[in-house]
Structure formats: C-alpha cells, structure tokens
C-alpha cells in the first residue's frame, strides 16, 4: 500500500477516539513505544487495546505457549494456536488489527539479563507478569530509567491496577516486600518466591478488564489526558460485588 494511503488508513482506524484526543495526542501514541511483559490473560488484553489505540511500537515478551487451560480468559488463545508461542500469536494479532505498529518479539523468560534491552527506550511498561520476583526486576529497571510501570494483578473475581512513576512509592515499598533496599541475591529471591501463591483461580472478564484498564493508564500517561491512578492510589475491583469498582489509597 502506498505510504500516503497507509497514513489515511491509520487515521481512519483511530477516528472514533479523536473526539477525546487531539491530533497531537494521537501523534504521541503513534510515536510511542510500550513494552508489555507477559502475553497471557492480562497482557493479551493490554496488547490488543494498545494496538487498536494506535500505539506505534510494541515490545512483547513471554516464554510460554498456549494450552487448553488458557482458553477461558486469554483473548489471543484458540484451539488452533495450542502449543504455539504466545508472543508469536500476539504479534500476528497486532499486525492484523494495526499493521502500522512495529512489533518486537521476545520469546524468552523476562529476567535481569534482558530487562534493559526490553525496557530501555520505552515510554511505558505494562506489568502482565505472574510472579513477584519478575515484577521487582521490572519495577526497579523502570524506576532507574524514569519509565512508568503500570501494575496489574488478578485473583478470582478481583483485580487491581496502579501506576508507579517518579514521585510515587516503589512497587516494593507499596506492598512492603522483604526485598526493599536489598540486592536481589538468591536468598532474597527465595523469600520473594515464598510470597507467591499457587496458580489462582480466575474468571475471564477479570483478566481482560485489568489489561484494558492498564491500556487506559498508558493512554493517559502518554497523552497527558485524564487523571493517572498513581501509587499509593490503586483501582481495585471485585466483579462479584454489586458496586465492583473503587479507588483506595494504600499506606
């Protein structure tokens, strides 16, 4: 497709959100790079929304492949894609819904060795991780580089979202983790691992709502629109409650 028509198609794709965003706002999204760490339930929803909002560059990382147990909540999964790496399926999905977005794929475990490569140069990092140690590594790297870290976590019918950025307490401080102020030695990592529970139950809407809320925080951060839910404030919800959503302030 000629470049001129590609540009026209991009702006038609995002036209329905232009009543809320200015052209300058949209260009900020188009010129932005967002890293999504994890492409499962939360990450799949976040990636989908970020691509559809017109984010120009996406870095996605996940070492896992799809299996049958993912189907109840992970938007990218299907019986057709069982045993295929999640990042490969997600990358193809991004190219299908937003061929104007650049995609960098990392089919590997996120750790201290690749954290800099994945995070450096990002405008925002979405936490779609499933363990505390990796969150500590990601949040520390983001803090050291002044990059907002958009946290999301789920359990059962409940989810939570908050943003760690300059001026807010750190992820470790907010949740009073035993790693605060310490080097991530094998002993410290073992203590963090003890805090992780077994694989929790979850209903599909919880994971997808959480990822969508994180994508909304990315939009606010990059465009400057709206009120970012920054730590120690946190959005919490429980879909089994009559009034499921609330903002709390942790101390």
């Amino acid at each position: 497709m000629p470049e001129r028509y590609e540009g026209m198609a991009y702006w038609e794709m995002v036209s329905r959100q232009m009543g809320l965003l200015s052209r300058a706002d949209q260009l900020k999204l188009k010129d932005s790079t967002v890293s999504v760490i994890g492409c499962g339930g939360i990450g799949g929803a976040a990636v989908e929304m970020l691509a559809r909002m017109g984010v120009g560059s996406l870095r996605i990382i996940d070492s896992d492949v799809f299996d049958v147990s993912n189907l109840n909540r992970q938007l990218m999964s299907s019986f057709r894609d069982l045993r295929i790496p999640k990042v490969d399926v997600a990358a193809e999905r991004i190219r299908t819904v937003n061929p104007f977005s650049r995609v960098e794929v990392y089919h590997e475990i996120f750790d201290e060795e690749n954290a800099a490569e994945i995070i450096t140069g990002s405008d925002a990092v979405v936490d779609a991780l499933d363990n505390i140690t990796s969150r500590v590594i990601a949040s520390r790297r983001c803090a050291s580089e002044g990059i907002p870290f958009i946290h999301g976590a789920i359990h059962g019918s409940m989810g939570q979202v908050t943003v760690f950025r300059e001026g807010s307490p750190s992820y470790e401080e907010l949740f009073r983790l035993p790693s605060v102020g310490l080097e991530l030695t094998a002993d410290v990592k073992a203590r963090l691992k003890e805090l992780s529970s077994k694989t929790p139950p979850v209903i599909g809407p919880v994971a997808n709502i959480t990822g969508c809320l994180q994508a909304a925080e990315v939009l606010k951060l990059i465009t400057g629109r709206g009120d970012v839910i920054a730590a120690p404030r946190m959005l919490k919800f429980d879909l089994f409650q009559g009034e499921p959503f609330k903002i709390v302030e942790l101390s």
Side-chain angles (χ1 to χ4, degrees):
M1 182 186 297
E3 186 175 346
R4 172 172 175 267
Y5 295 110
E6 283 188 4
M8 292 171 61
Y10 174 86
W11 288 100
E12 178 66 20
M13 180 186 76
V14 299
S15 61
R16 289 295 295 273
Q17 63 197 41
M18 298 308 293
L20 295 172
L21 304 180
S22 68
R23 185 178 179 86
D25 293 332
Q26 189 62 49
L27 285 171
K28 291 177 182 177
L29 288 173
K30 191 173 187 292
D31 293 338
S32 68
T33 297
V34 179
S35 294
V36 180
I37 311 177
C39 289
I42 297 175
V47 165
E48 176 96 4
M49 289 299 102
L50 292 168
R52 290 183 181 278
M53 291 191 304
V55 169
S57 181
L58 287 163
R59 298 174 184 168
I60 55 177
I61 178 168
D62 199 303
S63 64
D64 204 2
V65 298
F66 283 118
D67 62 41
V68 176
S69 69
N70 300 147
L71 292 168
N72 82 311
R73 67 200 180 283
Q74 299 190 17
L75 289 181
M76 302 290 177
S77 65
S78 69
F79 276 101
R80 181 193 63 187
D81 296 321
L82 297 180
R83 312 312 304 168
I84 296 177
K86 294 180 181 182
V87 287
D88 290 345
V89 176
E92 181 58 29
R93 179 65 174 172
I94 293 167
R95 296 183 186 109
T96 299
V97 301
N98 180 3
F100 317 109
S101 182
R102 298 174 299 279
V103 188
E104 296 179 60
V105 173
Y106 299 84
H107 182 216
E108 54 197 79
I109 295 172
F110 176 82
D111 57 24
E112 291 160 298
E113 298 299 318
N114 56 25
E117 180 183 359
I118 293 162
I119 289 173
T120 299
S122 301
D123 295 288
V125 172
V126 174
D127 161 24
L129 289 155
D130 61 1
N131 70 89
I132 294 173
T133 303
S134 295
R135 284 190 172 113
V136 169
I137 294 169
S139 65
R140 285 188 178 189
R141 171 59 62 172
C142 285
S144 71
E145 300 196 24
I147 299 169
F149 180 65
I150 299 93
H151 165 71
I154 57 177
H155 189 290
S157 61
M158 301 176 290
Q160 63 186 38
V161 171
T162 190
V163 176
F164 297 97
R165 60 179 181 178
E166 188 174 356
S168 71
S170 71
Y171 168 72
E172 295 166 86
E173 290 169 339
L174 189 69
F175 292 107
R176 300 179 181 178
L177 299 180
S179 56
V180 174
L182 301 176
E183 183 182 347
L184 288 181
T185 62
D187 179 62
V188 171
K189 289 179 180 179
R191 291 166 65 189
L192 290 173
K193 188 175 181 179
E194 290 175 0
L195 300 176
S196 300
S197 60
K198 296 179 181 179
T199 302
V202 64
I203 55 174
V206 170
N208 290 286
I209 289 170
T210 301
C212 289
L213 290 170
Q214 288 175 288
E217 292 304 302
V218 171
L219 182 145
K220 290 189 283 184
L221 284 161
I222 291 174
T223 65
R225 297 277 182 168
D227 179 18
V228 174
I229 305 170
R233 296 167 66 227
M234 177 181 290
L235 188 155
K236 303 187 76 171
F237 67 89
D238 184 343
L239 296 186
F240 283 180
Q241 300 299 314
E243 296 183 2
F245 294 91
K246 60 183 178 181
I247 299 284
V248 300
E249 184 161 334
L250 303 183
S251 58

